[in-house]
């Protein structure tokens, strides 16, 4: 972390567990007040320590995400949270004649394309008729056959 004042002590991100739980629950005001009272420091110093802890936590989470993504073959550009916001702005400006999809639909489409690419990598070929359609077709043929038999007997 960049320290603007070289004469000041470096900010220690080590915090008590109760403060960490408050931060994880997004109760930042209470965490700052409790930290400043427990260690007899100013509110600004407590806020600086909590901010340092939060940035350290975000960096660790980002590193975990990138390692998981690299193991799964997802490019790093797909994980950039800053890029998503700018893409949404650009997307709103570019799309005029098409129906906009909601983020849920976009997430499902990206999931579906990821699964399809994984199956293609494994060499899996999609069936011409899905399994459930075959089953419905068999049931319909059996019902039609039973109908014809019963029609001939009682008809």
């Amino acid at each position: 972390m960049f320290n603007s004042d070289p004469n000041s002590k470096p900010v220690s991100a080590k915090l008590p567990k109760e403060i960490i739980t408050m931060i994880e629950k997004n109760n930042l005001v209470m965490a700052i007040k409790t930290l400043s009272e427990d260690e007899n420091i100013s509110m600004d110093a407590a806020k600086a320590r909590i901010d340092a802890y939060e940035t350290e936590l975000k960096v660790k989470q980002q590193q975990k995400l990138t390692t998981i993504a690299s193991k799964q073959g997802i490019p790093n550009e797909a994980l950039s949270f800053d890029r998503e916001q700018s893409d949404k702005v650009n997307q709103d400006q570019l799309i005029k004649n098409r129906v906009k999809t909601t983020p849920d639909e976009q997430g499902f489409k990206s999931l579906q394309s990821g699964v399809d690419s994984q199956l293609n990598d494994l060499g899996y070929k999609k069936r011409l008729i899905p399994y459930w359609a075959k089953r419905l077709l068999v049931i319909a043929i059996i019902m039609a056959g039973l109908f014809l038999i019963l029609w001939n007997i009682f008809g």
Side-chain angles (χ1 to χ4, degrees):
M1 179 180 240
F2 177 71
N3 191 357
S4 60
D5 187 11
N7 296 330
S8 68
K9 292 188 278 182
V11 177
S12 169
K14 194 91 169 172
L15 296 173
K17 289 187 179 187
E18 59 197 22
I19 304 294
I20 291 173
T21 55
M22 287 182 202
I23 293 171
E24 289 172 353
K25 292 181 180 180
N26 284 333
N27 196 353
L28 298 176
V29 175
M30 192 66 185
I32 292 171
K33 287 175 90 175
T34 307
L35 184 63
S36 66
E37 290 173 1
D38 287 350
E39 297 187 2
N40 292 330
I41 56 176
S42 69
M43 295 276 227
D44 292 334
K47 183 182 181 311
R49 285 185 58 190
I50 289 175
D51 287 343
Y53 175 78
E54 282 184 321
T55 55
E56 179 183 328
L57 189 65
K58 286 180 183 178
V59 166
K60 286 181 183 178
Q61 288 175 347
Q62 188 67 24
Q63 288 173 347
K64 286 180 185 178
L65 279 176
T66 53
T67 56
I68 291 170
S70 65
K71 287 179 184 176
Q72 293 181 352
I74 300 171
N76 287 340
E77 296 84 34
L79 296 177
S80 176
F81 297 111
D82 298 334
R83 189 184 64 79
E84 289 178 359
Q85 293 172 354
S86 64
D87 281 353
K88 287 179 184 177
V89 171
N90 291 339
Q91 194 176 27
D92 289 341
Q93 293 171 354
L94 294 176
I95 299 174
K96 290 187 179 181
N97 296 332
R98 289 190 292 158
V99 176
K100 295 179 186 176
T101 57
T102 62
D104 294 336
E105 291 174 359
Q106 291 172 352
F108 180 72
K109 286 179 183 176
S110 66
L111 175 67
Q112 194 172 23
S113 66
V115 170
D116 288 342
S117 68
Q118 286 283 9
L119 290 176
N120 289 338
D121 292 343
L122 294 173
Y124 179 79
K125 304 267 192 239
K126 286 187 177 180
R127 296 184 174 134
L128 193 59
I129 300 174
Y131 185 73
W132 61 270
K134 284 183 184 178
R135 185 167 281 194
L136 285 176
L137 187 62
V138 168
I139 291 171
I141 290 171
I142 291 172
M143 288 178 66
L146 285 173
F147 176 76
L148 289 175
I149 292 169
L150 291 173
W151 182 268
N152 288 333
I153 292 174
F154 297 110

